[in-house]
Amino acid sequence: MLKTSALAAFLGLTVLLSGSVTAQSNQPPEEFTATAIVNNNLGAGAGRVIIRVERWSSEAERGQLTRTLMKDGPNSLLDQLRDMKPVGTIRTPDSLGYDLRYAHQEPGEDGGRRVVIATDRPIGFWEAANRPRTVDYPFTVIQMELDKNGEGKGTLSFATKIIARGNTIELENFASAPAMLNDIKSRTIRTNGVR
C-alpha cells in the first residue's frame, strides 16, 4: 500500500477543499489522451487511455462532496459520488467507457492548469462476493498537470482510499504506486457529439 503525504494529497485534491477561481460549468467539454504506465505490485504494462469530460462539476457539487467527506466520512462520500450525474467517461481504445462522477480544474503555473477527476471504481462479481482487501479501496482519482498548450503528465490511482484528516485529505493507494499518465494531450470536443 502506498500512502501519499497529507500535504501532497491536499495539494492534489485542494479543489475539494478550497474555492474555485473559474466557473466550472461554463467550461467546454474536453477529451484527454495519455499513455498509462503501470509498474507496481499489481502488474506492469503500458497502454493508451482516453478520458472524456462532457461537463465540469459545478461549485454546488464540489461543496456537497466536501461537506459530506468532512462531516460523514469516505463511505458517505462514495455513496454520494455514485448518485451523481456522470461528468464523462474513461476507457481504453478497445473498451467501453466507465462513468466518471467528478471533474474539476483550476489555474496552474504559467497559463497551465490542474485537473482532478474522481469516481467510484468498478467492482467485479468475484471481488464483491469474496470481499478481499481491495474492496476497501473504492475510489479512482486522476490528477493531471497541463501546460498552456493542454499537454502534460499526471497520475491515475485506480484502487484508492480517500481519508479526511482535519483540514487535509489523504490518499492511500492499494497499489505500491499509481499509474503514471505520460504524454497527456487535450482537445476541446463539440457538444453535439461530433468529434
Side-chain angles (χ1 to χ4, degrees):
M1 288 180 289
L2 174 70
K3 200 175 213 180
T4 62
S5 74
L7 177 61
F10 174 75
L11 293 174
L13 289 178
T14 189
V15 293
L16 288 175
L17 294 176
S18 65
S20 173
V21 179
T22 60
Q24 293 295 298
S25 56
N26 295 336
Q27 301 299 313
E30 200 165 356
E31 184 174 88
F32 303 90
T33 57
T35 301
I37 300 171
V38 178
N39 188 15
N40 58 38
N41 58 314
L42 301 179
R48 186 178 158 144
V49 65
I50 302 162
I51 301 163
R52 190 174 177 108
V53 176
E54 299 283 345
R55 70 173 186 89
W56 295 92
S57 299
S58 69
E59 288 304 304
E61 289 171 313
R62 181 197 61 79
Q64 185 179 24
L65 291 172
T66 301
R67 286 187 298 277
T68 299
L69 176 62
M70 302 312 272
K71 181 181 174 195
D72 302 321
N75 290 335
S76 293
L77 175 66
L78 181 62
D79 291 340
Q80 187 159 38
L81 204 58
R82 286 177 173 154
D83 289 340
M84 295 182 93
K85 178 181 172 186
V87 297
T89 58
I90 183 170
R91 66 181 181 86
T92 60
D94 59 349
S95 71
L96 296 174
Y98 185 79
D99 284 340
L100 299 170
R101 303 289 178 178
Y102 177 83
H104 197 284
Q105 60 183 328
E106 63 179 21
E109 296 179 16
D110 301 322
R113 61 198 160 119
R114 287 182 291 276
V115 175
V116 175
I117 299 171
T119 195
D120 59 320
R121 72 173 179 85
I123 304 283
F125 176 76
W126 182 90
E127 190 177 6
N130 293 294
R131 307 215 31 96
R133 286 187 51 230
T134 55
V135 298
D136 295 329
Y137 296 79
F139 296 96
T140 295
V141 178
I142 300 163
Q143 300 177 76
M144 297 185 281
E145 294 281 338
L146 304 169
D147 64 19
K148 64 183 176 184
N149 299 316
E151 299 179 358
K153 62 183 179 176
T155 59
L156 187 154
S157 300
F158 178 69
T160 303
K161 283 184 185 180
I162 297 178
I163 304 161
R165 298 207 192 279
N167 288 327
T168 62
I169 294 173
E170 197 172 283
L171 298 181
E172 182 180 312
N173 295 314
F174 185 77
S176 57
M180 301 306 297
L181 297 177
N182 293 334
D183 302 318
I184 298 174
K185 293 184 180 13
S186 71
R187 68 181 184 92
T188 301
I189 52 177
R190 296 183 188 177
T191 56
N192 63 4
V194 178
R195 288 183 177 209

